[in-house]
Amino acid sequence: MSTTTLLVTLLVLVTVGGYTSWTAGRLDRLHARVDAAWAALDAALVRRAAAARAVAARLPPTAVAARLDETAAAALTGGPVGREGVENDVTAALRAARAGPGGGWEDWDIIDDATVRVQLSRSFHNTAVANARAQRRRWFVRYLHLAGHRVMPRPFDIDDGDL
């Protein structure tokens, strides 16, 4: 084997190794970004549910107020399984409460602020998830199993439109 062949082989190995290391690091950073975005989204959802319970306590005692309190309590105590459905229920209950009587005081400012935070947090989370999923779909990442045993991140899709 000639010196030139040895140097070219060594250069190719160093290049492939460097690219593999860079890609694995990038994938790890993307997963960390997904985790951080989920933590921010979870905090925003908890804040919205707590604000919804505060609004429910100040509403006249009707079925709408009871439903809002029930769905907000479920959102505060529930786990990650079925979370999207629970948060959709909170949104529907908030819409019904706002349309009903007694929905025009300062508590709705807190709800509006919490809703905007949920919308932004969900947008950041879903963008981070899309980036991580795109990186994980590349053949190089799949072939070398650079994602390890990490679960494929999922977007969080809820109805978080304006109330």
Side-chain angles (χ1 to χ4, degrees):
M1 189 186 294
S2 70
T3 305
T4 305
T5 306
L6 184 62
L7 286 175
V8 167
T9 304
L10 184 62
L11 180 65
V12 166
L13 287 175
V14 167
T15 303
V16 169
Y19 181 72
T20 302
S21 176
W22 177 81
T23 302
R26 181 166 190 267
L27 189 58
D28 188 49
R29 287 188 304 275
L30 287 170
H31 280 137
R33 187 179 304 158
V34 168
D35 293 342
W38 171 253
L41 176 58
D42 184 51
L45 291 169
V46 166
R47 181 174 181 221
R48 182 180 79 152
R53 287 205 78 186
V55 166
R58 295 192 56 187
L59 287 173
T62 62
V64 171
R67 174 80 176 131
L68 179 58
D69 187 55
E70 176 187 311
T71 59
L76 288 171
T77 60
V81 176
R83 181 85 181 262
E84 292 169 341
V86 170
E87 295 300 336
N88 283 332
D89 291 344
V90 171
T91 300
L94 282 168
R95 283 191 180 123
R98 180 165 248 169
W105 4 258
E106 64 277 354
D107 287 338
W108 287 107
D109 292 339
I110 297 168
I111 294 288
D112 291 339
D113 181 52
T115 299
V116 168
R117 289 176 187 263
V118 166
Q119 290 168 343
L120 289 172
S121 297
R122 191 175 74 85
S123 174
F124 291 143
H125 175 265
N126 287 347
T127 299
V129 166
N131 290 339
R133 290 174 72 97
Q135 184 70 17
R136 287 183 65 158
R137 280 194 294 268
R138 296 187 176 181
W139 70 270
F140 192 75
V141 172
R142 285 191 327 254
Y143 182 72
L144 294 178
H145 304 287
L146 295 181
H149 297 289
R150 297 273 316 232
V151 176
M152 180 71 86
R154 287 180 353 126
F156 192 76
D157 293 322
I158 61 170
D159 177 15
D160 61 357
D162 293 333
L163 301 176

